[in-house]
Amino acid sequence: SVYFNVIIWYIFLFEKVLGFFPPSVEEISKDGKSWLVCTSCLPFCTCICLLSALHVLHFLPLPGSEIAVYEGDILLRRGRRSAINCDSCLWPKSQDGLVKISPGPLLFLAITERSWIADALQEISTLTCVQFVNRTTETDYVYVERGCWSYFGKIGGRQAVGLVKNGCMDKGAIQHEMNHALGFIHEQARSDRDRFVKIMWEHIVAGNFGKMNSKNLGLPYDYSSVMHYGAYDFSSTPGKPTIVPVPDPSIPIGQRDGLSNLDVAKINKLYKCNCCSSVLPKPKGSFSSVNYPSPYPNNSNCLWLIRIRRSKIFLQFEAFDLQRSSDCSSDYIKIYNGNSKSSPVLLDKYCGKGPLPSLVASGSTMLVEFASDESITATGFRASYNRGFNLKTQRYLAVRNICIPIDVHNSLHKQVLP
């Protein structure tokens, strides 16, 4: 009938073109099974037709496929239990040394959801050679569906990843699922995990805590990884942990604030990226140029991403000595008000000897870039950061997010102020 044909076209518009369920239908999970239910007041017959047709379109197995759900959120092809041991699961590298992945259109998402996903993927792009670029004619690409899951490594063609669901829209949760697509297992599934955590089998819902024969890339176990389960995940008994760090059970696990330093290192090592980058996620800390206080190396290009949860960032330099050049074109430091080089500039290229102004980010991330050329070097820099302002007794003049000590602001180089 015409009525049924309209329903079918309605389904195809949402499911096949936009890639998600119609607004009258919602997927829910219970006891490890997926169900489709009506969520609107459409006529009963319309709802039944929608559910029936969606069942055929969405759950029909692909001919010859051998895909199973593994550990709750991984769609796994048989024989590919760890992309760390599977070169054919990796995304290819371009001639320019970048691994370019194209997410499909996010038309069905709200603006806020799009921004959350973009922010999470940008952090990966900033710190690694994996770059998320707009799709043009690529035949292998990822596209976002509703859910919280991912295929394991690159499978080819139109590759779905579930990112839109309550509990799956935190930055670290989005990165967690995308890291599965890049070819990473759960951290506590590493072959050496028993040296670092104890699995409390008596508190566990069946499955979800398998161990793989992984090579681990020669990098340490990472309690802070976005790929690590939380202490109470999949617990069959409220208040009872399923995974306990050893020997210190108080070590926090399961954070979803964003990539850890070792998460970044693993991506860069697996994909053979030539990147010098670090994450600074603690409420306060310090960092310095390579070899400080000895001279930094030639031809350096390093990034530090300061990320403090729900707080502005205050940055100050305690020592600063970079090769001086015209317009700081040789060696320089540059600071961005955000998590990428496309973010607004807080401090443009700056070189020579201090003093350097203190800076305040308007949000919870700040990116510090340091570059050197092939010639003369100097001792470099040492800097510290903390949450918000900590100006002690020094009087400061605030200019465009730059805090300039009043007794030195008249002697600043022209490169300081944007």
Side-chain angles (χ1 to χ4, degrees):
S1 69
V2 174
Y3 185 61
F4 183 78
N5 286 335
V6 170
I7 295 171
I8 294 301
W9 279 110
Y10 176 70
I11 294 166
F12 267 92
L13 173 64
F14 281 93
E15 180 66 5
K16 292 302 185 184
V17 180
L18 299 182
F20 70 104
F21 293 128
S24 55
V25 175
E26 181 178 344
E27 182 182 18
I28 63 172
S29 298
K30 184 178 181 182
D31 299 328
K33 298 180 180 179
S34 293
W35 305 84
L36 295 176
V37 298
C38 288
T39 57
S40 77
C41 56
L42 285 176
F44 178 75
C45 60
T46 303
C47 183
I48 294 299
C49 289
L50 280 171
L51 294 182
S52 300
L54 278 170
H55 179 82
V56 173
L57 292 172
H58 195 73
F59 295 103
L60 186 65
L62 296 173
S65 67
E66 294 182 336
I67 297 175
V69 178
Y70 184 74
E71 292 197 328
D73 70 335
I74 304 173
L75 299 187
L76 190 66
R77 288 184 168 185
R78 185 175 297 177
R80 296 187 177 183
R81 288 172 61 87
S82 175
I84 292 179
N85 303 330
C86 176
D87 290 339
S88 63
C89 300
L90 304 185
W91 295 78
K93 184 178 286 188
S94 305
Q95 291 183 348
D96 58 8
L98 300 177
V99 179
K100 297 177 182 178
I101 301 177
S102 302
L106 305 177
L107 300 178
F108 73 95
L109 297 177
I111 293 176
T112 52
E113 292 174 330
R114 292 185 211 175
S115 67
W116 292 338
I117 292 174
D119 184 56
L121 299 187
Q122 180 59 62
E123 191 168 285
I124 298 175
S125 294
T126 295
L127 298 170
T128 76
C129 67
V130 176
Q131 305 293 300
F132 294 94
V133 298
N134 293 330
R135 179 175 177 253
T136 54
T137 60
E138 291 82 3
T139 56
D140 296 338
Y141 64 99
V142 296
Y143 75 100
V144 174
E145 283 194 351
R146 295 195 180 277
C148 198
W149 48 267
S150 175
Y151 282 93
F152 198 62
K154 176 179 173 288
I155 64 171
R158 187 174 186 250
Q159 178 170 336
V161 57
L163 297 180
V164 187
K165 185 178 180 179
N166 288 340
C168 201
M169 290 302 289
D170 292 333
K171 178 188 290 185
I174 294 168
Q175 293 167 345
H176 176 108
E177 300 305 337
M178 194 56 68
N179 273 5
H180 283 321
L182 291 176
F184 288 96
I185 61 176
H186 292 131
E187 187 70 6
Q188 77 286 338
R190 286 172 49 137
S191 57
D192 60 350
R193 65 110 179 267
D194 293 333
R195 294 166 47 200
F196 304 97
V197 295
K198 181 180 180 181
I199 306 301
M200 311 301 288
W201 297 105
E202 64 272 24
H203 303 151
I204 290 174
V205 177
N208 298 322
F209 283 86
K211 185 166 64 172
M212 296 185 178
N213 183 26
S214 57
K215 293 181 180 178
N216 307 325
L217 297 170
L219 293 170
Y221 192 89
D222 186 13
Y223 294 110
S224 299
S225 173
V226 294
M227 305 308 290
H228 206 297
Y229 279 2
Y232 299 91
D233 287 354
F234 302 103
S235 178
S236 60
T237 308
K240 296 293 185 180
T242 54
I243 182 167
V244 177
V246 294
D248 182 2
S250 67
I251 295 175
I253 54 176
Q255 67 86 14
R256 294 295 182 265
D257 293 332
L259 297 174
S260 71
N261 252 323
L262 281 171
D263 286 328
V264 173
K266 288 170 188 174
I267 296 173
N268 283 330
K269 190 162 186 178
L270 183 63
Y271 281 91
K272 298 179 174 62
C273 304
N274 183 25
C275 296
C276 171
S277 54
S278 301
V279 181
L280 302 171
K282 296 181 179 179
K284 62 180 179 179
S286 61
F287 61 103
S288 62
S289 53
V290 177
N291 299 333
Y292 183 86
S294 299
Y296 51 81
N298 293 325
N299 300 311
S300 294
N301 196 311
C302 294
L303 295 171
W304 292 264
L305 177 63
I306 306 172
R307 186 186 65 222
I308 298 180
R309 189 175 185 182
R310 299 190 185 94
S311 177
K312 293 184 177 182
I313 298 165
F314 174 73
L315 175 70
Q316 57 187 347
F317 287 82
E318 293 140 9
F320 190 87
D321 183 11
L322 271 60
Q323 174 194 357
R324 188 187 300 276
S325 62
S326 175
D327 297 325
C328 295
S329 57
S330 297
D331 301 356
Y332 64 85
I333 199 163
K334 189 173 181 178
I335 302 174
Y336 304 86
N337 189 18
N339 67 355
S340 78
K341 292 182 182 180
S342 61
S343 300
V345 175
L346 276 177
L347 182 69
D348 212 342
K349 291 182 179 180
Y350 193 86
C351 60
K353 286 195 173 184
L356 194 70
S358 300
L359 299 106
V360 181
S362 62
S364 60
T365 56
M366 178 188 287
L367 185 66
V368 179
E369 177 188 11
F370 167 68
S372 66
D373 64 5
E374 70 282 355
S375 60
I376 304 168
T377 63
T379 57
F381 69 88
R382 183 180 70 247
S384 62
Y385 70 93
N386 57 42
R387 187 191 303 269
F389 285 91
N390 184 19
L391 304 184
K392 299 181 180 179
T393 59
Q394 175 69 42
R395 291 197 303 140
Y396 281 77
L397 172 66
V399 181
R400 295 187 186 178
N401 295 91
I402 298 177
C403 298
I404 306 171
I406 290 176
D407 57 347
V408 300
H409 77 273
N410 288 326
S411 63
L412 293 175
H413 298 287
K414 66 179 181 180
Q415 288 88 355
V416 173
L417 293 178

